Amino acid sequence: MFGGCYGWASAGRFHHAPSHLKRFLNLFGGYVDRVGNHSFGAALGIMPYVIGRADIPALVAPWETLVGSCELIVLFGGAHLKNAQVEMNGQVRHEAATWFHKAHAAGTRFVNISPSRSDLTEAVDGEWISLRPNTDVAVMLGLAHTLLVEGLHDTAFLQRFCVGFERFADYLRGVPDGVIKDAAWAAEISSIPAERITALARQMASSRTLVATAWSVQRADHGEQPVWMTVTLAAMLGQIGLPGGGFSLGFGRAGSAPPRKVPRMAMPVGKNPVTTIVPVASVGDMLLNPGKEVEFNGRRIRYPDVKLIYAVGGNAFHHNTDLNALLRGWQRPDTVIVHEPFWTPVARHADIVLPATTTLERNDILAAESASHWIAMQKAIEPVGQARNDFDIFADLAERLGFKSAFTEDRDERAWMAWLYEQTRAQAKERGYAPPDFDTFWNDGVHAFIEEAPVHQVFMGDFRRDPDANPLKTASGRIEIFSEKIAGFNYADCPPHPTWIEPTEWLGSAQARDYPLHLLSNQPTARLHSQLDMSPLSRASKIAGREAITMHPKDAGARGIRDGDVVRVSNARGAFLAGARLSPDLRESVVQIATGAWYQAVEPGVPGSLDTHGNPNMVTMSKVTSPLAGAPTAQTVLVQIERVDDPPPMTAFDPPRFS
Ligand SMILES: Nc1nc2c(c(=O)[nH]1)N[C@H]1C(S)=C(S)[C@@H](COP(=O)(O)OP(=O)(O)OC[C@H]3O[C@@H](n4cnc5c(=O)[nH]c(N)nc54)[C@H](O)[C@@H]3O)O[C@H]1N2
Ligand SMILES: Nc1nc2c(c(=O)[nH]1)N[C@H]1C(S)=C(S)[C@@H](COP(=O)(O)OP(=O)(O)OC[C@H]3O[C@@H](n4cnc5c(=O)[nH]c(N)nc54)[C@H](O)[C@@H]3O)O[C@H]1N2
Ligand SMILES: [Mo]
């Protein structure tokens, strides 16, 4: 049984659908799980070796420590404000724009290194440096080389806090491969002028500088490398652990939320007796190839022969890459069971669909990931039709299977909420917070942790103050610019120090002759992933009923495409239709479409059939970043585009027929 389906589900800590699925399957006897995630999978794989940490969302410099100290923020992949509107388990405060203003007013300069100008808010009057997609590592190496040859790197910091810099410096100088990674070399790959790279390196060295890299940059082939190189560049600047300096990951996601020590509220899922796992980006590969062995993070894993897929709270026909391959794999198991509130693509591809409630039809507790608030999510309406809570569905199944009371522990919704709340409250109290008892909380409707014990800790400040007393959890206790452990794995796609490796597909590769456009799939403005795509808000963002694809006017003109036309986007893996939107704010030869349009093929269930709506995963590839992280490479894909004058209708939102 594959139960490791990925998914955001909805806000609310009790009715968290994937938690109930795991709890249910664990009690039933276990399931094949997935490892890693789509958001920051490459960072999750590499960071334990580099800085000894896997808590990726916490690797941000809090805004409070930036304003007034930070002079320059260099953003690889920008920091689009719309992305900061969303947070796992619910966003409470929407203050990223305010923080950008504060920083700007306090004198921070912003540089947006991205194929898209819109990745930085105009309000901060920043500089846009456009580069070819997936070439960030080359740019960072060019910056590092400039620092090295001009003696602008902090040798004292590198000696005391890092290991392996000399090996890396040799690589910059071209000792092992005869290629000097200077600004001119980086310019050739990225198309950023060499003078701009050298000037930026000098600016970075003479300012208090934050090197901030968006998660998107690592959601690409060899995505481990930009993450490792971000840390290495910051280490060369020597400002890690100082206010306003160092590095930040995922700045473009939730801005930079202050880390609080409020404990996480989460349903206990028990223990999985089955230890078989699949890297998150290889689900399609696993379904297609039972028994295949793959290398993963220093070991070999063998794919199971999956007979049943149980998926709740995620949309497999949204999150997975290479959907035609997934579709072929998805047809192999005997049975697919899905719970869904809506008639989504994953529901359409199931044998059994159990209708689930939404957050409006049940009581729950919202506990935001940044832990600023706990909010009572009181039920607004009775469940519609036959919709039931995921918990109740599993409880009844557990009854028939003979383990109901182990599953429910004889608690209902209210009792579970109170239990979850009180457990977490006790931990919160130990950490110096004072949330009230459950009944008071439920009546008040909200508890704010903001005013209690605010933290203004400088990221990695402890390590910098005393690296012997506060060593990192790496093999050496230091920042590893060279990793002996990774060297031992001998992975061509993940060498033992940050390295430029050509992506399988990019504008500099041979495939660009047939497929001359690099497709980026960013997070949507009008929804969360694929959720509520059928709602008026999301529909209003469509063009000619299809998802909007942004193109440079020159690329469009060369293909006879006008604003508003329906276009066909394709490569050897698949094809989809989209609605053209022209903008000079996107680099030439790059096109961009938001993720999440509900996949609807002309011939449903037939691999290779044209998607009529605009799902970028029709053309993305199954290849993973490297055997180290095994993470998805959604941002590495070349396509061709043509105008379509007589497109087939788009039927993704048509409800099912009941007989
Ligand atoms: N090409 C490309 N692909 C990508 C990305 C990219 O950048 N490019 N980004 C990736 C990233 S970062 C992510 S996080 C993933 C997101 O991938 P997913 O998490 O799969 O996306 P969602 O659309 O949020 O899926 C949640 C599903 O759960 C359903 N749901 C909501 N609430 C409930 C509930 O209470 N019970 C049940 N049973 N179901 C519920 C919703 O209707 C929806 O179908 O996509 C990844 N895919
Ligand atoms: N409104 C909204 N916000 C969201 C979400 C949502 O669904 N809706 N999803 C949330 C989730 S689950 C996640 S994981 C985060 C993801 O946060 P991110 O991964 O940061 O977001 P993306 O929108 O995928 O990418 C940001 C930008 O990166 C740029 N980019 C892409 N490839 C490259 C590259 O190779 N080099 C450079 N320099 N830039 C590149 C693109 O121009 C893109 O606009 O967002 C979260 N925020
Ligand atoms: Mo994500």
Side-chain angles (χ1 to χ4, degrees), residues 277-297:
I277 51 162
V278 57
V280 71
S282 300
V283 171
D285 197 34
M286 168 192 75
L287 294 172
L288 270 175
N289 302 294
K292 178 176 167 184
E293 290 194 13
V294 293
E295 191 66 28
F296 174 65
N297 203 5

Side-chain angles (χ1 to χ4, degrees), residues 8 39 76-77 82-83 86 113-116 119 131 133-134 136 214-217 219 252-253 520-525 527-529 592 635:
W8 264 55
S39 309
F76 290 90
K82 61 119 169 56
N83 283 5
V86 164
I113 303 184
S114 164
S116 167
D119 282 338
L131 85 173
N134 293 192
D136 301 74
W215 291 347
S216 55
V217 176
R219 206 175 297 121
R253 187 232 358 164
L520 298 178
S521 44
N522 57 309
Q523 309 294 322
T525 302
R527 55 179 183 264
L528 170 67
H529 313 135
Q592 191 171 41
Q635 307 301 335

Side-chain angles (χ1 to χ4, degrees), residues 314-502:
N315 182 354
F317 288 87
H318 158 68
H319 57 247
N320 288 300
T321 52
D322 199 354
L323 286 183
N324 282 315
L326 179 83
L327 183 59
R328 279 185 281 125
W330 197 262
Q331 291 169 344
R332 289 189 56 120
D334 301 334
T335 311
V336 178
I337 309 173
V338 164
H339 303 181
E340 258 292 341
F342 303 102
W343 194 234
T344 62
V346 71
R348 284 175 182 238
H349 289 86
D351 297 300
I352 299 171
V353 184
L354 299 166
T357 53
T358 64
T359 49
L360 298 174
E361 304 161 74
R362 59 205 187 201
N363 291 302
D364 213 335
I365 302 170
L366 184 149
E369 195 92 315
S370 75
S372 60
H373 293 75
W374 287 348
I375 294 177
M377 298 169 70
Q378 279 142 2
K379 179 171 164 177
I381 55 167
E382 287 305 316
V384 174
Q386 297 179 337
R388 302 187 64 203
N389 298 334
D390 296 286
F391 171 76
D392 296 324
I393 295 172
F394 285 125
D396 281 6
L397 286 175
E399 178 164 29
R400 291 178 205 189
L401 293 166
F403 55 88
K404 180 172 184 177
S405 71
F407 179 76
T408 63
E409 295 182 29
D410 303 323
R411 291 189 193 97
D412 61 7
E413 178 189 75
R414 173 95 187 183
W416 266 114
M417 282 197 303
W419 182 87
L420 256 183
Y421 182 94
E422 290 300 347
Q423 294 281 312
T424 324
R425 173 176 172 239
Q427 295 166 21
K429 277 169 131 177
E430 281 167 22
R431 299 183 192 183
Y433 299 100
D437 63 63
F438 178 72
D439 288 332
T440 312
F441 160 74
W442 194 252
N443 290 330
D444 292 353
V446 59
H447 180 74
F449 289 95
I450 306 286
E451 314 307 333
E452 293 172 25
V455 214
H456 302 298
Q457 273 163 4
V458 175
F459 175 54
M460 291 180 76
D462 290 352
F463 173 61
R464 186 183 185 103
R465 255 188 311 283
D466 190 343
D468 298 318
N470 307 301
L472 301 182
K473 292 192 178 80
T474 54
S476 59
R478 300 291 190 261
I479 296 170
E480 302 219 338
I481 298 175
F482 184 97
S483 164
E484 293 293 347
K485 275 198 187 166
I486 294 178
F489 299 156
N490 223 344
Y491 292 152
D493 274 357
C494 190
H497 60 69
T499 304
W500 161 252
I501 315 168
E502 272 197 43

